[in-house]
Amino acid sequence: MYLSTIDKPRTANWKGLSGNVFALGTVSLITDVSSEMVAAILPLYLVIGLQLSPAAYGLVDGVYTGATTLLRLAGGYLADRTHRRKAVAGLGYGLSAVAKLGLLAAGSSLTALGFVITADRAGKGLRTAPRDALITLSTPSDDLGRAFGVHRAMDGIGAFAGPLVAMAVLAASAQSFDAVFVTSFCIAAFGVLVLVLYVRDRPEPVERRQPLKLALLKDPAVRRIVLAASLLGLVTIGDGFVYLLLQKREGLAFGWFPLLAVGTSLVYLLLAAPLGALADRIGRLKVMLAGYGALTLVYLLLFGPLGGWPLLVLVVLLYGVFYACTDGVLMALAGPVLPERLRTTGIALIQSGQALAYLGSSVLFGLAWQFWSQETATRAAAVAVVLALLTTAGLLGRRS
């Protein structure tokens, strides 16, 4: 079942992977440089600059990821219905690029920022499922973990570079945020150009173009994966919360704050491909559960006995391990279960379940922080991850 979309795959492959995987990885790398330039400083700007309460920040953070749930489903369904996965992904990438210019006009208005952030995330919601579906359709089933690992590693390079580019632009422009936004737009536009020129869509055989029937949830295996993904999303708090808790506990200078995201991204990009290949060998579920084990340790360390630079380094290391073990591995785990004609819709359904659950998680954690305490909220999150991990092992272990 080799489904490469490249005319001469062997000339574009690296150890059996399609050139499409590398083209999509390049687009993600460039786009992540653009998005992480903004995302790395956003939590600090909202909480310190605009003085948002933890509960209000939790709502904004949840909307940042969760409000695009319907667009994820719409994008996935549209891509499968029209067989134009590249076009739908391109629309999403383009919308996110234009949203960067919207930040110029938003200023300090929370309402305007909310609209711009929603537009940016809407673009992400539209593009993610078609992009991941193109990866699964361009890769043999046995190599999906490695393919997603390579793609996520390239994505991680962009996430690593983005905050550094933002810091360089700020230093060169006398701390002008407008310069960051303009630079971010230019980089995102270049990513769209790479998508148009180098990513190939997978042509659909004429005889297979039949009316699309959304019967995915009738499959017990698909239901279990959607349920497990949603449950894991419900117990995962946002990166911004983790970094803010570290900054408050250690009194980290604001100028160092973006480097927390840089460190996490560095660990992620170094480990994503090796752990993806490991998942293909020993089992994707095992690697994914190990990642959530690392996340549990992150939450416990935030208010544990360790402090200072050892705490910062260990949390960043474990947080990067968590992302490397889970981000692409979940999609590789789901890919073979989803029917090919509904692959994009199925991936969108899984991602939408996670995104909607993440919205609830951010709001609940923000409320717990504000009305209980930082320590109680974080330890409750650690307990919740353990319970979700055990439940997921029971749900997906049967399929394995």
Side-chain angles (χ1 to χ4, degrees):
M1 190 181 74
Y2 190 76
L3 302 176
S4 173
T5 60
I6 305 299
D7 295 335
K8 295 181 179 180
R10 290 298 173 189
T11 63
N13 288 3
W14 178 76
K15 295 186 178 179
L17 294 184
S18 165
N20 231 25
V21 173
F22 292 98
L24 288 163
T26 302
V27 174
S28 292
L29 188 160
I30 296 169
T31 302
D32 250 33
V33 171
S34 169
S35 61
E36 291 302 320
M37 288 178 66
V38 177
I41 59 173
L42 194 60
L44 198 62
Y45 174 68
L46 293 174
V47 175
I48 305 299
L50 298 186
Q51 297 294 310
L52 289 190
S53 68
Y57 173 72
L59 179 60
V60 173
D61 187 55
V63 169
Y64 187 74
T65 299
T68 59
T69 298
L70 293 179
L71 279 173
R72 289 174 185 264
L73 287 171
Y77 179 78
L78 180 64
D80 279 335
R81 182 72 177 179
T82 62
H83 311 289
R84 296 182 181 276
R85 300 175 180 91
K86 174 182 173 179
V88 176
L91 177 63
Y93 281 111
L95 182 58
S96 292
V98 172
K100 302 300 188 296
L101 289 181
L103 292 169
L104 289 170
S108 60
S109 169
L110 187 59
T111 301
L113 281 171
F115 279 118
V116 172
I117 288 171
T118 300
D120 178 64
R121 295 298 91 183
K124 183 176 177 62
L126 281 174
R127 72 183 184 243
T128 302
R131 179 203 65 200
D132 285 351
L134 283 171
I135 294 173
T136 66
L137 294 171
S138 303
T139 308
S141 180
D142 290 344
D143 289 329
L144 281 175
R146 190 156 55 95
F148 275 103
V150 168
H151 174 270
R152 294 317 197 249
M154 297 179 73
D155 186 88
I157 293 172
F160 170 73
L164 297 178
V165 174
M167 294 172 69
V169 172
L170 286 172
S173 61
Q175 307 302 309
S176 170
F177 285 97
D178 286 355
V180 175
F181 300 150
V182 171
T183 305
S184 176
F185 164 74
C186 294
I187 294 173
F190 180 62
V192 175
L193 180 62
V194 173
L195 175 80
V196 171
L197 294 178
Y198 295 106
V199 172
R200 307 287 183 88
D201 213 338
R202 179 176 182 271
E204 192 76 13
V206 175
E207 63 271 16
R208 299 189 62 178
R209 295 190 178 186
Q210 302 165 358
L212 199 58
K213 297 180 180 179
L214 296 179
L216 281 170
L217 290 179
K218 293 182 179 179
D219 186 336
V222 175
R223 285 201 305 269
R224 288 197 293 270
I225 290 179
V226 172
L227 179 59
S230 301
L231 182 61
L232 292 170
L234 187 61
V235 300
T236 305
I237 66 176
D239 296 359
F241 275 125
V242 173
Y243 299 148
L244 284 170
L245 288 168
L246 280 175
Q247 189 271 333
K248 286 179 176 292
R249 177 179 170 178
E250 297 301 320
L252 198 64
F254 295 163
W256 292 99
F257 185 82
L259 294 182
L260 296 174
V262 171
T264 300
S265 298
L266 176 60
V267 176
Y268 175 45
L269 74 89
L270 290 175
L271 294 182
L275 288 175
L278 180 66
D280 286 336
R281 290 199 300 271
I282 69 172
R284 292 160 190 163
L285 179 60
K286 293 177 182 178
V287 172
M288 188 177 75
L289 294 180
Y292 279 95
L295 182 65
T296 304
L297 293 176
V298 167
Y299 294 165
L300 292 175
L301 283 168
L302 289 174
F303 289 96
L306 194 63
W309 286 107
L311 171 66
L312 296 174
V313 171
L314 188 55
V315 167
V316 164
L317 175 63
L318 288 171
Y319 212 33
V321 169
F322 157 66
Y323 277 116
C325 285
T326 58
D327 187 21
V329 174
L330 175 60
M331 294 299 101
L333 184 68
V337 176
L338 300 170
E340 184 181 317
R341 290 188 64 249
L342 295 175
R343 186 70 53 83
T344 317
T345 306
I347 290 174
L349 186 63
I350 294 168
Q351 293 171 344
S352 296
Q354 273 196 314
L356 191 60
Y358 182 84
L359 171 58
S361 170
S362 292
V363 172
L364 289 174
F365 187 82
L367 290 170
W369 178 350
Q370 183 163 335
F371 293 106
W372 293 348
S373 69
Q374 302 172 25
E375 184 175 356
T376 301
T378 306
R379 288 180 175 171
V383 173
V385 174
V386 172
L387 294 176
L389 192 153
L390 294 174
T391 305
T392 299
L395 283 171
L396 301 186
R398 290 185 296 166
R399 187 183 73 81
S400 297

